[in-house]
Each structure stands twice: as C-alpha cells, then as structure tokens.
Amino acid sequence: MKIDSIVNGIVLDHITAGKVMEVYEALNLDQMDCSVAIMKNVKSNKMGKKDILKIDNDVEVDVDVLGYIDPNITVTIIRNGKAVEKKKLQLPDKVVNVVKCCNPRCITSIEEGLDHIAILTNKQEHIYRCIYCETKINKKST
C-alpha cells in the first residue's frame, strides 16, 4: 500500500483502532473536496494497533471534538512537506454541540436552537454532565 506524503495538510495519528470513522464523520470530511487517506488497524509498537487519518488540505480541525472522541490523538500540521506543529490532545473541560443530552425532560430537548453543553466532571472515567439538567453522559473509555 502506498499513500503519498502530504505537502500542506494535517495528519491525525494515534487514533484508537476502530475510531477513525467516528473522527471522519465528526470533522465532516465527506463534505470536503480534497484527498483524505484513512488507515485502519496500522501496526504500532506503542498501541498495538492504531488508526491514522491524513487530510491533504489546509483545514481547521476542532481539537475539542477530537479530544472528546479520543484524547490520544496527535495532530500534526504539515506545511511545504514538513511537520511544523504537533499537538497532543486531552479531554476538553467543556464541549458545545458535540454530544446531546439523553434526558428527554432536559430543556435542550424542548427548546430549539439551544446549545448542547456538557462539562467534564470526572476525568479518570471520562464522564461529562449536561450543564442544564446534570444528566451524566458517559464517555466511552479509550
């Protein structure tokens, strides 16, 4: 398998194996008109298996969304064929419109146009809570 190197773009590395399509959908990459390489179950000395996503375009990625999905992701910015910036992600303290509250009585289920806001309440267990009704939103372990 050969995947060309990127001249200007982004590489998302160290994605937990099996989560690359969740990242792809969260970033709406299907709506972009550029080359996107998805590599699943790549051998990794550190992780055993991992997924990698390469975007051959200069785009902004929402690091809060990526951090919520998988805080292990490494974001590398490529310019003129060289890595110019590398970011390690972490769980964001607050996410807006990333996850919806599952409580049918929550005001977010009734009021249209209201932002779905969740705050991190337990970092070890990846637990977020709705700021309106405090319903627990379990973040799957990564």
Side-chain angles (χ1 to χ4, degrees):
M1 176 185 332
K2 181 179 179 190
I3 297 175
D4 292 333
S5 59
I6 294 174
V7 177
N8 291 306
I10 297 173
V11 176
L12 304 177
D13 197 2
H14 304 109
I15 302 170
T16 301
K19 288 194 169 190
V20 72
M21 291 310 295
E22 187 177 348
V23 172
Y24 181 87
E25 291 170 8
L27 296 178
N28 297 316
L29 294 176
D30 59 325
Q31 298 172 10
M32 296 183 67
D33 187 28
C34 65
S35 298
V36 177
I38 297 171
M39 292 172 274
K40 296 176 71 174
N41 298 319
V42 176
K43 287 183 183 177
S44 167
N45 292 334
K46 183 178 168 187
M47 301 171 68
K49 289 181 179 179
K50 66 180 179 179
D51 293 346
I52 300 171
L53 188 67
K54 290 184 173 186
I55 306 165
D56 192 15
N57 196 357
D58 196 14
V59 296
E60 289 285 325
V61 293
D62 188 338
V63 292
D64 285 344
V65 171
L66 293 176
Y68 178 77
I69 293 171
D70 187 352
N72 298 318
I73 295 174
T74 301
V75 179
T76 305
I77 310 294
I78 309 292
R79 300 272 186 270
N80 298 319
K82 295 186 179 186
V84 295
E85 185 178 354
K86 192 175 273 197
K87 300 176 188 173
K88 294 285 285 177
L89 302 183
Q90 57 185 339
L91 284 173
D93 293 331
K94 180 171 97 175
V95 290
V96 179
N97 296 326
V98 174
V99 63
K100 292 184 177 179
C101 181
C102 58
N103 178 0
R105 291 188 221 146
C106 179
I107 192 168
T108 58
S109 299
I110 301 165
E111 293 285 331
E112 289 187 30
L114 195 61
D115 286 334
H116 293 264
I117 302 171
I119 57 170
L120 181 64
T121 57
N122 187 321
K123 193 171 186 174
Q124 284 73 34
E125 297 183 24
H126 298 191
I127 295 174
Y128 284 82
R129 289 190 181 272
C130 174
I131 67 161
Y132 303 105
C133 68
E134 298 186 4
T135 296
K136 183 168 72 173
I137 301 167
N138 282 325
K139 172 77 178 91
K140 293 178 185 176
S141 300
T142 57

